[in-house]
Amino acid sequence: VLHVITALDLAVSKIGRFQERDREDILALARFRLIRSGEVERRAQEALDYFVGDTTYIQYNLRDAVDLIRAVEGEQEPT
């Protein structure tokens, strides 16, 4: 069985660490219109329901990731 991760799940997986490379990957996914800010925010919040421990830093990372994606969305022409 081959399991394939979606662009959305990949972006969410990058939020926990959120180092430079992770931010670049999230930006690339947004530029190629593979993810949307609202989707990422919803999926990450769903995932956090299962997280054990303090989510404060992840919430900050999520806010910053959503801001990055929204900035890209603002640069793109509507389709």
Side-chain angles (χ1 to χ4, degrees), residues 2-63:
L2 174 65
H3 296 277
V4 179
I5 190 168
T6 66
L8 177 58
D9 289 329
L10 176 60
V12 169
S13 75
K14 300 273 184 179
I15 292 171
R17 195 174 70 140
F18 207 57
Q19 297 297 311
E20 181 68 26
R21 181 65 194 172
D22 302 307
R23 288 189 291 274
E24 291 170 2
D25 291 343
I26 289 170
L27 283 170
L29 291 168
R31 287 185 182 118
F32 283 103
R33 298 182 183 191
L34 298 173
I35 58 172
R36 304 281 302 163
S37 58
E39 294 173 331
V40 170
E41 191 167 25
R42 277 188 298 280
R43 181 66 59 90
Q45 290 296 344
E46 289 171 5
L48 283 173
D49 288 343
Y50 299 95
F51 188 84
V52 176
D54 185 6
T55 63
T56 302
Y57 78 96
I58 297 175
Q59 292 285 356
Y60 290 135
N61 291 353
L62 174 57
R63 181 201 60 208

